[in-house]
Amino acid sequence: MSIGEGQVPGRVSAGPDWDALADAHAAGRRRRKRLMWGGGVLAAAAVAAVVAALVVTGGTPEDGADAKGGPSGAPTQKHDPAADAMPDFADTSDTPDPLAYLSDARKDTAPLRAGLLFGTKDVKVGDHRYDLSDGDTTPDCTKRVEPALGAVLRKQGCTLFMRAGYSRDDAQVTVGVAVFPTAAQATAAKAGVSGGVTALPASAAKPFCAAGTVCRRTANSYGRYLYLTLTGLTGNKDASEGDQTVVGTGDDLAEYTFQRIVHRGRAAAEAAEKKG
């Protein structure tokens, strides 16, 4: 599975708040896992500060996307298959804190694009396997998000935006990651989040979260990265407040993205340690 370059919709409206459901789902995961870094504990609770809401999407596709969301003829991006491995979150008390490297572009200097961050293979989170459909990368942080979010990203100096699309059964998730020069800018962007990432459907025959569809969004930040999810049902079916498939699917992919970001920081920290 390859990830190329390439974009699609949302508008927040009044709707039920899914924070309680998201927190309940995350709580079980937090009890099962702790991520150990240096002298402190970095729990998956870092994801618990997520902003989650059920929303009605709006907007229209742009940029002439093909069936997988990228522009026709977009070049395929390659990367080291070793980057596909899930990180090992054992106690690494002698390793420098990866957050220090993820918080400043001057230290976080490794190549960065969707294929490198997300990997290029289907993923397994817990007991669930998710199909990776496609992804894209753009330096224009306003192109793959709704206008309201684009304005926030531009104001805070976003330099790169990446997406990846995943599906399992009838649910689909688009994950978006905005990259900033500093952690402070990513934190400010999270505080000002309005709107969200636009949908990257698995295929033209399997649309989801088109304009007017009820879907679920989450937003969170870690280091200089703001990561977002848009989760909905194939066929542009409306999600409902009690749909644990939508909640669980979105939370799984948010956690996976969080882990990939931490993995990047850990790699940078270990490289710096070896360099002395």
Side-chain angles (χ1 to χ4, degrees):
M1 183 66 63
S2 63
I3 287 188
E5 295 186 1
Q7 90 253 177
V8 191
R11 175 189 79 251
V12 176
S13 70
D17 184 351
W18 281 22
D19 283 347
L21 287 172
D23 288 346
H25 185 84
R29 181 169 289 119
R30 293 197 301 274
R31 285 191 294 269
R32 294 192 300 271
K33 179 159 54 179
R34 288 287 185 268
L35 313 183
M36 307 295 293
W37 292 116
V41 176
L42 172 64
V47 186
V50 66
V51 176
L54 190 67
V55 300
V56 177
T57 56
T60 55
E62 55 185 0
D63 300 335
D66 64 16
K68 289 190 176 181
S72 299
T76 298
Q77 297 183 334
K78 303 295 185 181
H79 81 291
D80 180 0
D84 290 335
M86 283 293 289
D88 177 9
F89 292 108
D91 186 355
T92 55
S93 56
D94 295 328
T95 302
D97 183 1
L99 184 57
Y101 294 85
L102 293 169
S103 297
D104 189 336
R106 293 171 297 182
K107 294 182 178 181
D108 184 19
T109 59
L112 186 60
R113 58 182 182 269
L116 289 170
L117 181 68
F118 296 109
T120 58
K121 296 180 179 179
D122 299 343
V123 303
K124 186 175 182 181
V125 183
D127 297 329
H128 301 145
R129 182 168 296 280
Y130 296 93
D131 297 326
L132 171 65
S133 57
D134 204 357
D136 50 46
T137 301
T138 177
D140 185 346
C141 297
T142 66
K143 292 183 68 175
R144 309 295 184 248
V145 299
E146 296 176 352
L149 180 58
V152 172
L153 301 185
R154 182 173 56 245
K155 178 180 178 181
Q156 296 303 329
C158 176
T159 59
L160 193 71
F161 194 84
M162 300 167 285
R163 291 188 308 176
Y166 299 90
S167 62
R168 180 174 72 89
D169 299 330
D170 200 30
Q172 294 189 56
V173 183
T174 296
V175 179
V177 177
V179 187
F180 301 85
T182 68
Q185 288 165 295
T187 300
K190 176 190 171 182
V193 161
S194 178
V197 61
T198 54
L200 183 59
S203 70
K206 296 182 178 181
F208 84 109
C209 292
T213 306
V214 178
C215 296
R216 179 179 183 255
R217 289 199 192 110
T218 69
N220 205 355
S221 65
Y222 188 70
R224 67 191 189 104
Y225 298 83
L226 171 71
Y227 56 103
L228 313 125
T229 66
L230 175 68
T231 310
L233 301 174
T234 297
N236 293 321
K237 300 173 185 174
D238 287 342
S240 64
E241 185 174 355
D243 194 331
Q244 290 299 308
T245 297
V246 171
V247 174
T249 298
D251 286 356
D252 276 355
L253 272 305
E255 178 178 344
Y256 173 74
T257 303
F258 169 69
Q259 291 179 356
R260 294 296 298 189
I261 293 170
V262 173
H263 181 51
R264 177 179 171 85
R266 178 181 179 181
E270 290 177 345
E273 185 180 40
K274 290 179 181 178
K275 190 175 180 180

